Amino acid sequence: MTRRIAFVGGGNMAYALATRLAQRTYDVVVSEPIAEQRARFGPPVSTTPDNTVAVRGASTVVLAVKPQVLETVVREIAPGIRDDQLVVSIAAGVPMAAIEQWLGNGRALVRCMPNTPALVGAGISGLIANAAVTTDQRNEAETILRLAGEVVWFDTDTDLDAVTALSGSGPAYFFAVIEALATAGTNIGLDPETAKRLVVATARGAAIMATRDDPAELRARVTSPGGTTARALSILGERSFSESLDAAVRGAFERSRELARELSGDPG
């Protein structure tokens, strides 16, 4: 039997996941109020402006709306959510307890935090599940998110705040480094396009190597005593660089927790 997956919200992440699911044995429907957004989805994905119509008959409902409107959307669809349906939230920052309250107690809920490389199938998502989620539902949530890249399961909202700070915000850290390195390349005489090409290819290769070996060991191998890399790292100030990254990630983590309280209406 073909399983139906409903997406509430037709933004970029929903588009990436829905179009990939539709290439498999799934019946995929997307609800989106903006006609131009709906028009991006072609067959076999079906669309509707009505959220309640989309969730009807679906085995899984993916909440893909902005965090600021999530409460309104969840309260709208909650009366039509059956006990055997799985709800998956990819809305950043909204804690599990708040969504459970809006849905009604006992509903199966998975909350996840993907990152922007998921749009090209190269992301990584952190997931947590509540006690109502069955093994089959857990597997279905993982199947959906694996279309966007890797999946890692966690236990608590606090874990996902850490995921948000590290891999959710993480692409921006790497984009900033790539941007700075490419600019440095132009400053020493390379044309901008060539500098960017060199930096991006270097970043891609370094990332592949880092999946196979310890990054600290790899860095040591590249850094010959008295060589160019040693000079660069000494100028960069390796200790202050690592401390800056640690402070940046910690700041993002703290802000994620602040936003979670704001979005759930918890003043604490």
Side-chain angles (χ1 to χ4, degrees), residues 27 37 69 118 123 126 129 133 136 146 159 175 184 238 248 254 258:
D27 174 20
Q37 290 281 76
V69 301
V133 174
D136 285 345
R146 279 198 182 281
D159 292 331
F175 296 150
E238 186 179 4
E254 291 169 354
E258 291 169 3

Side-chain angles (χ1 to χ4, degrees), residues 142-163:
E142 184 165 330
T143 295
I144 294 170
L145 270 299
R146 279 198 182 281
L147 294 175
E150 297 185 51
V151 168
V152 183
W153 286 94
F154 294 92
D155 297 320
T156 67
D157 278 311
T158 300
D159 292 331
L160 283 201
D161 289 333
V163 170

Side-chain angles (χ1 to χ4, degrees), residues 31-266:
S31 61
E32 167 58 53
I34 301 173
E36 291 79 2
Q37 290 281 76
R38 293 198 303 274
R40 297 193 304 164
F41 296 87
V45 177
S46 58
T47 61
T48 174
D50 191 327
N51 295 332
T52 60
V53 170
V55 304
R56 195 178 302 147
S59 61
T60 298
V61 176
V62 181
L63 303 173
V65 298
K66 294 184 182 300
Q68 294 81 0
V69 301
L70 184 62
E71 179 178 2
T72 299
V73 168
V74 172
R75 290 190 184 280
E76 177 192 4
I77 66 172
I81 299 293
R82 305 185 314 273
D83 289 343
D84 63 341
Q85 283 179 300
L86 170 66
V87 177
V88 177
S89 172
I90 61 174
V94 184
M96 179 81 79
I99 305 172
E100 287 176 321
Q101 179 185 350
W102 303 333
L103 274 175
N105 292 330
R107 304 288 174 80
L109 175 65
V110 168
R111 182 190 162 206
C112 66
M113 181 63 216
N115 59 6
T116 53
L119 298 175
V120 294
I124 187 164
S125 301
L127 281 70
I128 58 175
N130 70 4
V133 174
T134 67
T135 299
D136 285 345
Q137 289 173 328
R138 185 183 174 100
N139 291 338
E140 180 151 295
E142 184 165 330
T143 295
I144 294 170
L145 270 299
R146 279 198 182 281
L147 294 175
E150 297 185 51
V151 168
V152 183
W153 286 94
F154 294 92
D155 297 320
T156 67
D157 278 311
T158 300
D159 292 331
L160 283 201
D161 289 333
V163 170
T164 300
L166 190 60
S167 60
S169 298
Y173 312 152
F174 288 99
F175 296 150
V177 170
I178 289 170
E179 180 185 17
L181 285 174
T183 298
T186 64
N187 291 340
I188 57 174
L190 296 172
D191 70 85
E193 196 57 40
T194 299
K196 176 187 172 184
R197 181 181 176 188
L198 288 167
V199 172
V200 170
T202 300
R204 183 186 301 116
I208 292 171
M209 293 182 72
T211 65
R212 302 171 182 172
D213 291 290
D214 176 58
E217 175 62 27
L218 290 169
R219 176 186 50 75
R221 290 181 205 167
V222 176
T223 311
S224 302
T228 59
T229 305
R231 170 71 67 84
L233 289 178
S234 69
I235 294 171
L236 183 63
E238 186 179 4
R239 181 172 174 79
S240 63
F241 179 65
S242 62
E243 287 177 348
S244 294
L245 281 179
D246 182 76
V249 171
R250 187 168 297 278
F253 171 67
E254 291 169 354
R255 181 56 180 153
S256 179
R257 300 184 74 178
E258 291 169 3
L259 287 171
R261 290 193 294 269
E262 292 170 12
L263 291 166
S264 64
D266 179 5

